[in-house]
Amino acid sequence: MQWLQALRMAIKSISGNKMRSSLTMLGIIIGVSAVIIMASLVQGTTRQITERLQSMGTNMINVNIIGRGSTRTVTDADLFQFQQNNSAIIEAVAPVLNGNVTIKFGNRNISTNIEGTNEAYETVRNTKVQEGRFINALDVERRQKVVLIGSYIANELFGGLSPIGQEIKLNGDLFTVAGVLEVKSNSSAQSTDDKVIIPYTTAKRLLRNAAIRNFYIQAKTPDKVDDAMTVLQEFLYRIFNSNDAYRVFNQADMLDSINETTRTMTMMLGGIAGISLLVGGIGIMNIMLVSVTERTREIGIRKAIGAKRKSILGQFLIEAIVVSCMGGILGIIAGIAASSLIGKAMQIQAETSALIITISFGFSVLVGVFFGWYPANKASKLNAIEALRVE
Amino acid sequence: MIKIEDIYKTYKMGLTEVHALNGVSIEVEEKEFVAIAGPSGSGKSTLMNIIGCLDTPTSGKYFLDGKDVSRLKEDELSEIRNKKIGFIFQGFNLLPKLTALENVELPLIYLGIRGKERHRLAMEALEGVGLGDRIRHKPSELSGGQQQRVAIARALSTKPAIILADEPTGSLDSKTGAEIMKMLKDLNQSGKTIILITHDTGIASQAARMINIYDGKVLKESGVA
Ligand SMILES: Nc1ncnc2c1ncn2[C@@H]1O[C@H](COP(=O)(O)OP(=O)(O)O)[C@@H](O)[C@H]1O
Ligand SMILES: [Mg+2]
């Protein structure tokens, strides 16, 4: 029998029982859209993080002082000295003191992240000002109350006006706005544009915290990153006598660990999505078995007038595949729509690749073949005389 | 054309055996009109299933057009049914979701005839039974007599040499039954071999020859061969 004819028969029988067919499809729709949503969001997130990391420059090393297992510590002064001693491979050190502040300007209050750092931050973290000036060595030395504000803060507090030279209060202390930072993400709340930067010497007092635990260190060139890592680790080990007291990692390490994380995430989510596809497939099998029983007499008639086993098998198999393919297509559409909606809500640029669409569509076809085979085979083996006797 | 030699059919029901056919031998010539008659349970349907290649005998031989078909496989029998035999059942056995035309096209689909040619052959068969104006009707939208005529059109669509009719008038009133019988006689006139199965000797006597079956055996034959 021709495929086209079998396809027409299948579509006829599917549309003859719309309610049941759509319920059967639902399992596949949910499974496929789950695959699409998860893959799109994971891919989108990975891309965002990777881009952000790469924008920071490839020769950056991050040092985290944890202090665990040791009573000793490392100060900013120690690290500046270390830089002086290794100036052939280490370009600059930017200490970062993190915290939260409340900004007050006029009658407006905003809570935001604050970073206390030095002039090296500009190159080490590849962070520029779009207006005004960056903090300089003198600001740091004299503990000046100057502040750089992120684009989100600038928009919120000053609207279209220039904030340069304006005075704002950070936790009650008066600071002068020296510059506005360049847009790093999308100028929205909770993004990297929602922050302020002040000299770290000033930050120690403002945040009442003298221990800096976070340092960004720039190697002279990208190919000196490994050497810099080695001397840094030796330097830190000599101080702490323990590997647990600090962590040193570079861009490449971070990218690796992010890729590792997303790979595990993809596999886990893929597994969950796969299980829902499996459940959808079992739904198809279940309905097909019911359908074969209900249509026993039809099968008997078809056989009596000359249908061979493979015609009956083909008819039911194609029916199962058509159901799962339609479910697959609807699932892809639903998945793309849902992932862009969820992405908007979560501020992730969802990315649905052609590969994922192909894979999930292929899977739904496979599910149809796999779970349709048994009922179709059962139908094809029915005895014509007995089938004709069934009412 | 049909030559059955000493056929037995035994059904096993648990420990007991039911001998539905006990050594039946029959010959049917081309273009004959034969009735197989007998009371209920005598083995008529079993015999028809074997003649119609829906079933194979437990023992004995069945030659159809000179070829032994008593030991063929399921799919080979399907092909023979499709090409050589047209069935007419008591309960019509039309597919309820298909239109008259689609029902008639079905055997042609399995024969592998495509598009326009298939449509033409199906239309020809439906017009032959006087239903050229009812092709878009579903079985439920037709009367019993019309449904049986669709079934006849379906049996004729692949132009088989043999028509097997199992109680074709059983579900019809006597007037429509007579119309169907007239149709079978006309078909026989036009050259088809007709085998009619019935428990009604009044109907059976309208055939040129009558074979009486009782308890799975041929009791007597009457008429001209
Ligand atoms: N599939 C079967 N299994 C067991 N016994 C059967 C089967 N088919 C028919 N029989 C038995 O064989 C005998 C002949 O049946 P059948 O050919 O249907 O008779 P008829 O059509 O003349 O009424 C009956 O006794 C019936 O019970
Ligand atoms: Mg019977």
Side-chain angles (χ1 to χ4, degrees):
Chain A
M1 193 177 34
Q2 311 118 289
W3 289 107
L4 200 66
Q5 193 56 44
L7 193 67
R8 233 177 262 152
M9 272 190 210
I11 288 167
K12 199 165 183 107
S13 122
I14 288 164
S15 56
N17 219 329
K18 287 197 184 69
M19 186 65 186
R20 176 191 286 187
S21 310
S22 39
L23 284 176
T24 313
M25 261 174 229
L26 203 58
I28 300 290
I29 294 175
I30 291 171
V32 169
S33 53
V35 173
I36 301 268
I37 292 169
M38 287 167 177
S40 310
L41 292 183
V42 168
Q43 234 162 6
T45 317
T46 314
R47 151 89 69 124
Q48 261 176 355
I49 295 173
T50 310
E51 273 173 3
R52 198 175 295 170
L53 279 178
Q54 275 164 352
S55 77
M56 290 177 196
T58 47
N59 45 0
M60 194 189 79
I61 298 165
N62 185 227
V63 174
N64 251 314
I65 310 296
I66 305 160
R68 200 189 311 142
S70 173
T71 51
R72 302 190 57 180
T73 188
V74 155
T75 63
D76 34 302
D78 293 338
L79 273 159
F80 290 134
Q81 187 58 49
F82 166 77
Q83 190 266 323
Q84 300 278 299
N85 299 344
N86 296 279
S87 56
I89 48 174
I90 291 175
E91 175 75 29
V93 173
V96 174
L97 190 59
N98 292 93
N100 293 302
V101 283
T102 308
I103 308 177
K104 192 159 190 246
F105 177 72
N107 52 5
R108 287 201 208 189
N109 280 297
I110 306 180
S111 269
T112 188
N113 299 311
I114 186 167
E115 288 184 342
T117 186
N118 64 359
E119 71 285 355
Y121 189 95
E122 185 176 9
T123 46
V124 176
R125 294 293 310 264
N126 193 22
T127 301
K128 308 245 177 322
V129 288
Q130 52 169 299
E131 200 185 344
R133 64 166 181 87
F134 209 83
I135 52 178
N136 57 35
L138 213 63
D139 293 331
V140 175
E141 201 182 301
R142 298 198 175 160
R143 300 198 186 96
Q144 297 286 12
K145 292 192 173 173
V146 289
V147 60
L148 307 175
I149 59 177
S151 55
Y152 168 72
I153 304 289
N155 291 341
E156 284 294 299
L157 292 184
F158 300 99
L161 300 171
S162 169
I164 308 301
Q166 297 285 346
E167 297 201 313
I168 59 176
K169 277 184 172 171
L170 304 184
N171 285 357
D173 280 11
L174 215 52
F175 279 71
T176 307
V177 178
V180 179
L181 298 169
E182 268 183 356
V183 178
K184 278 259 171 179
S185 66
N186 53 2
S187 296
S188 63
Q190 312 301 325
S191 75
T192 43
D193 297 321
D194 181 4
K195 74 169 177 193
V196 297
I197 293 176
I198 60 173
Y200 75 95
T201 45
T202 322
K204 280 184 179 177
R205 287 193 173 173
L206 186 72
L207 300 174
R208 294 179 222 294
N209 180 1
I212 300 181
R213 295 176 172 278
N214 209 355
F215 296 90
Y216 290 96
I217 293 164
Q218 190 183 11
K220 264 248 157 18
T221 55
D223 55 311
K224 290 205 169 115
V225 168
D226 285 344
D227 289 347
M229 295 274 288
T230 315
V231 292
L232 244 178
Q233 264 153 342
E234 276 169 10
F235 167 73
L236 291 169
Y237 191 82
R238 237 178 289 127
I239 293 172
F240 290 105
N241 268 317
S242 155
N243 278 325
D244 297 334
Y246 55 89
R247 278 197 323 200
V248 179
F249 46 93
N250 62 24
Q251 291 288 340
D253 292 345
M254 266 192 255
L255 277 178
D256 280 354
S257 77
I258 285 165
N259 284 339
E260 180 64 32
T261 313
T262 50
R263 207 174 303 131
T264 353
M265 239 163 84
T266 309
M267 263 156 68
M268 258 171 52
L269 298 179
I272 294 168
I275 288 170
S276 60
L277 258 181
L278 202 73
V279 173
I282 293 170
I284 290 190
M285 180 144 104
N286 190 15
I287 293 294
M288 291 301 293
L289 283 172
V290 172
S291 168
V292 168
T293 310
E294 278 182 359
R295 289 156 69 185
T296 302
R297 191 172 179 85
E298 172 190 334
I299 295 163
I301 294 169
R302 287 180 184 272
K303 282 198 157 186
I305 61 175
K308 290 183 184 169
R309 269 191 187 178
K310 67 169 197 284
S311 309
I312 302 288
L313 183 100
Q315 183 190 342
F316 280 86
L317 195 58
I318 286 173
E319 224 174 285
I321 295 171
V322 168
V323 167
S324 64
C325 280
M326 282 169 71
I329 290 168
L330 292 176
I332 287 168
I333 294 169
I336 291 172
S339 53
S340 82
L341 275 180
I342 297 172
K344 277 213 184 78
M346 291 170 63
Q347 308 203 2
I348 298 166
Q349 182 74 44
E351 252 182 72
T352 312
S353 67
L355 182 72
I356 279 298
I357 292 178
T358 317
I359 288 176
S360 48
F361 183 71
F363 249 108
S364 53
V365 177
L366 274 183
V367 163
V369 174
F370 188 79
F371 289 99
W373 184 268
Y374 176 73
N377 193 43
K378 192 177 161 185
S380 78
K381 283 189 174 154
L382 284 182
N383 178 289
I385 301 167
E386 279 164 27
L388 276 173
R389 214 178 280 136
V390 171
E391 274 316 311
Chain B
M1 148 164 273
I2 290 174
K3 194 168 181 222
I4 282 174
E5 287 179 354
D6 201 24
I7 270 185
Y8 287 79
K9 182 73 187 180
T10 310
Y11 294 108
K12 285 204 172 63
M13 305 272 289
L15 289 176
T16 59
E17 290 189 337
V18 180
H19 300 283
L21 294 176
N22 281 310
V24 173
S25 298
I26 293 175
E27 272 188 57
V28 179
E29 297 300 328
E30 211 169 317
K31 299 179 185 172
E32 254 198 296
F33 190 165
V34 182
I36 296 174
S40 180
S42 56
K44 304 182 297 293
S45 293
T46 307
L47 181 58
M48 156 163 146
N49 288 339
I50 290 172
I51 296 174
C53 293
L54 277 165
D55 207 354
T56 49
T58 311
S59 73
K61 284 202 156 62
Y62 171 20
F63 295 95
L64 180 62
D65 290 333
K67 187 184 172 202
D68 186 3
V69 296
S70 56
R71 297 286 173 268
L72 291 184
K73 296 215 179 62
E74 193 190 318
D75 276 355
E76 295 168 316
L77 293 175
S78 291
E79 203 171 324
I80 292 175
R81 288 199 295 277
N82 191 222
K83 286 180 179 156
K84 296 193 172 175
I85 297 159
F87 286 95
I88 302 167
F89 303 94
Q90 174 176 5
F92 321 135
N93 277 342
L94 298 172
L95 295 189
K97 286 189 179 165
L98 302 189
T99 63
L101 181 68
E102 288 166 336
N103 265 291
V104 176
E105 278 187 316
L106 220 47
L108 298 165
I109 289 174
Y110 293 123
L111 193 60
I113 293 172
R114 286 156 191 266
K116 285 218 175 70
E117 174 68 356
R118 183 169 75 217
H119 184 82
R120 191 186 65 74
L121 287 169
M123 281 304 295
E124 191 182 301
L126 275 166
E127 275 157 9
V129 297
L131 285 176
D133 55 344
R134 293 282 194 280
I135 58 167
R136 303 268 171 241
H137 289 58
K138 299 252 169 85
S140 57
E141 298 156 1
L142 296 167
S143 72
Q146 287 171 329
Q147 288 185 53
Q148 193 60 300
R149 286 192 297 182
V150 174
I152 293 174
R154 180 180 66 187
L156 293 172
S157 63
T158 59
K159 302 192 190 306
I162 304 164
I163 299 289
L164 278 179
D166 190 1
E167 307 271 11
T169 60
S171 315
L172 304 172
D173 60 65
S174 52
K175 184 170 164 284
T176 355
E179 276 170 33
I180 297 296
M181 282 306 294
K182 166 90 171 48
M183 209 165 255
L184 288 179
K185 280 181 227 166
D186 290 347
L187 282 173
N188 179 240
Q189 288 298 310
S190 67
K192 301 275 181 209
T193 308
I194 312 264
I195 300 175
L196 171 71
I197 282 143
T198 180
H199 66 278
D200 183 337
T201 41
I203 301 258
S205 60
Q206 296 180 45
R209 178 158 69 106
M210 177 155 67
I211 301 170
N212 275 292
I213 298 225
Y214 192 80
D215 264 354
K217 285 189 184 113
V218 177
L219 204 62
K220 67 167 194 226
E221 288 198 34
S222 62
V224 225

